[in-house]
Amino acid sequence: MPGSVFTFYSYKGGVGRSFTLANIAVLLARWGHRVLCLDWDLEAPGLADYFRPRLPKRPSGGVVDIVDDFRRGRFAPDAHVQRLDDAGVLDFVAAGREEPGYLGQLQEIDWDALYDDGFGEYLEECREHWVTRYDFVLIDSRTGISDIGGICTAHLPDHLVLLFTANRQSILGAMDAARRADAARNRLPFDRSRLTVLPVLSRFDNREEYDRSETWRGIVVDETAELYGSWLDQTVDPATMARHLTLPYVSYWSFGEQLPVLSEQTPSADQIGFALETVAAVIACRLDRTDLLAENRDAYVAAVRTSRREFKHDLRVSIPRGAVGPANELVTELKKRDVRAVKSLSGDRSLLARAEDDAKHLCLVVDGKVSRWQAAEVELFLHRTLGQDRRVIPILTAGTDAASLPGYVGNLRYLRLTDSRGPAEVARELVGQLKGFTALVEPEDDLDLAGLLGEVRGAHLRPSRWDLVEELVTAMQAAVGAGDSGRTHDLAADLAVAVKPRVANGDDHHAAPPGVRQSIDWLLRTLDTRAKTTTQHRKDLE
């Protein structure tokens, strides 16, 4: 999949445009994406100041040198790239050399003449090269209306990140620039999709004068409403999305060129890193799946944060003191099967100090009861796992009663160590779960779950009955996700009764609400995918 080009633009200065771009670039690179930043604010470059502590050397070339390359008939878009230290794949092209001759070099450029000579086609080749090598190309554009601004807002980007503050001049100027870019884009001789625009309210202080801040929120939504139509999910209100796309004013970060995302790695909702993560996640999703963002911001960001992450270990095996022997044997058997397993003994406090876990899944060996330490370990894992495809898999020793365990463990699909089923057999089944070979829900001869769900989706019921069905379907999602066959089939029996045809009593009957249909579609996709996977790979477990 080719990369995407995002231009960060503001009509007025002082809105935190370069600050926002630099921090989002660091987040995207930290999340495993390949990122290129270009400083096209040629008359007042400043992006390098944010990256300077991690630049290997002072920039010796940049965007203006791309123009010189064109004039000399040289195609070398990588010649002026620097990679930041200890930041993943985060590359940077400065505006130009940091020396007195830079200004004269810039003033010699006649952009109209360059385009007459074919610079547009040359720049298009550079763009194609960049989107092939990078997942995200972030462009810092100069403010106002200019020739350079047209290149950044119309020619190069797939998406425009429009930053403004809560005043009419900033908002209306930015909106006018977006409309100009859209019109100019239609005149380009290059194949481009419609320009999508992400409006970001920046430096917004709602801690004082709450009533006035809410009034301005309404003004912002009214003035920018037209920008949401081409990308926002129809079920999401623009006002809701506008709140997610708001960067708060925090005076501490207004001094100098700083990167708060480096120090706020697990930010709370009142920190600016929290808002920057949200905007970065929307960009990482290329403005898609906004319905999920509206439902659960933390899950949305968490899923993006680890979507490309490589875990050091496949599985962390939590071992209670009373089951060290068989648990060690289990780890040995797992490693024989090429599972990257790591042990954690109860009381390993180093886990609590880590910002993120280094194992994708957690295996909980339970001997009689879940210890206080294991309970804390599961809670921490689930907090880090929100919205991600990571599992807690319990393994119970022979004398452990599943019914006596707390629900967050007892309701999960578990394996059991017994005299007849030792570590080797359990490791084999555990590998099946990790590779997706084990069915989420065991089939029963008397239940066609997919057929029942299809019947529910097409039913017409009273509103009160749909309320009950929604509760059952929601509970079934949790049961299927946990692999709890018993609970799933109990819910299915209740669901069959709930949708059983009844004699009409004069009340209106309605089709399934959108939320119920979406939940059923998720269940059907999940069951179908896992059934195919199980059939295809079951032989690998033999």
Side-chain angles (χ1 to χ4, degrees), residues 423-442:
E425 290 76 16
V426 171
R428 174 175 168 273
E429 292 188 31
L430 184 54
V431 170
Q433 287 208 23
L434 293 177
K435 293 184 177 181
F437 301 162
T438 306
L440 279 172
V441 179
E442 296 297 338

Side-chain angles (χ1 to χ4, degrees), residues 103-218:
L103 185 58
Q105 187 181 10
L106 173 62
Q107 291 173 338
E108 291 177 357
I109 298 176
D110 183 338
W111 295 101
D112 288 336
L114 279 173
Y115 266 77
D116 290 341
D117 292 339
F119 183 66
E121 288 78 8
Y122 180 86
L123 198 56
E124 188 71 6
E125 292 180 23
C126 291
R127 183 187 187 279
E128 290 301 315
H129 178 82
W130 291 328
V131 299
T132 300
R133 290 175 56 86
Y134 298 96
D135 301 306
F136 295 97
V137 178
L138 309 184
I139 298 174
D140 194 16
S141 173
R142 67 162 296 181
T143 58
I145 306 298
S146 66
D147 294 331
I148 299 174
I151 294 173
C152 296
T153 59
H155 182 170
L156 290 175
D158 299 297
H159 311 279
L160 186 63
V161 181
L162 200 65
L163 290 105
F164 47 84
T165 53
N167 67 75
R168 290 193 179 276
Q169 187 180 37
S170 182
I171 299 169
L172 298 180
M175 289 295 297
D176 180 62
R179 296 185 186 106
R180 287 172 179 265
D182 198 36
R185 191 178 181 85
N186 291 333
R187 298 192 296 269
L188 289 174
F190 311 113
D191 184 19
R192 288 284 192 280
S193 59
R194 182 179 178 183
L195 183 67
T196 52
V197 184
L198 187 70
V200 176
L201 174 58
S202 182
R203 298 177 65 84
F204 188 69
D205 190 351
N206 63 353
R207 292 170 296 181
E208 305 289 342
E209 301 292 345
Y210 178 79
D211 290 341
R212 293 187 65 190
S213 69
E214 288 303 296
T215 297
W216 271 99
R217 282 191 186 277

Side-chain angles (χ1 to χ4, degrees), residues 256-477:
E257 292 79 20
Q258 304 183 72
L259 297 171
V261 296
L262 294 178
S263 55
E264 298 178 353
Q265 294 199 16
T266 54
S268 58
D270 60 344
Q271 293 180 295
I272 194 169
F274 186 89
L276 287 166
E277 278 192 340
T278 306
V279 177
V282 174
I283 289 174
C285 290
R286 294 171 172 83
L287 284 63
D288 195 14
R289 304 313 306 272
T290 50
D291 55 327
L292 299 182
L293 172 59
E295 290 176 6
N296 190 326
R297 178 268 176 198
D298 290 344
Y300 183 82
V301 173
V304 173
R305 185 187 295 129
T306 59
S307 62
R308 298 170 65 93
R309 179 181 168 197
E310 292 292 332
F311 287 93
K312 182 178 179 181
H313 306 290
D314 298 315
L315 186 70
R316 180 176 301 282
V317 182
S318 176
I319 303 174
R321 298 292 179 182
V324 172
N328 283 337
E329 293 181 43
L330 174 66
V331 171
T332 300
E333 292 293 337
L334 289 169
K335 290 180 177 179
K336 289 180 182 178
R337 291 164 171 78
D338 297 324
V339 174
R340 296 173 299 168
V342 61
K343 295 181 288 185
S344 72
L345 288 172
S346 294
D348 184 1
R349 298 190 178 277
S350 65
L351 293 174
L352 300 178
R354 297 173 187 164
E356 293 182 325
D357 200 356
D358 58 0
K360 185 171 184 179
H361 304 290
L362 175 64
C363 173
L364 205 67
V365 179
V366 182
D367 184 32
K369 66 178 182 178
V370 177
S371 69
R372 291 177 62 186
W373 172 257
Q374 287 183 314
E377 192 172 5
V378 172
E379 181 180 1
L380 182 62
F381 179 86
L382 293 177
H383 173 72
R384 292 167 170 166
T385 299
L386 187 63
Q388 304 168 43
D389 182 20
R390 302 174 68 195
R391 298 188 189 183
V392 176
I393 304 175
I395 294 180
L396 312 186
T397 58
T400 302
D401 180 12
S404 67
L405 299 177
Y408 60 84
V409 174
N411 290 336
L412 299 177
R413 174 186 290 275
Y414 59 84
L415 303 174
R416 190 180 287 279
L417 277 166
T418 65
D419 293 338
S420 60
R421 297 178 69 256
E425 290 76 16
V426 171
R428 174 175 168 273
E429 292 188 31
L430 184 54
V431 170
Q433 287 208 23
L434 293 177
K435 293 184 177 181
F437 301 162
T438 306
L440 279 172
V441 179
E442 296 297 338
E444 289 190 1
D445 294 337
D446 60 348
L447 174 65
D448 176 8
L449 185 55
L452 173 61
L453 291 170
E455 180 183 344
V456 174
R457 201 184 192 286
H460 284 72
L461 305 172
R462 299 191 307 273
S464 59
R465 185 64 57 176
W466 278 124
D467 291 341
L468 172 60
V469 168
E470 184 171 15
E471 290 182 13
L472 293 171
V473 170
T474 300
M476 186 178 289
Q477 283 184 283

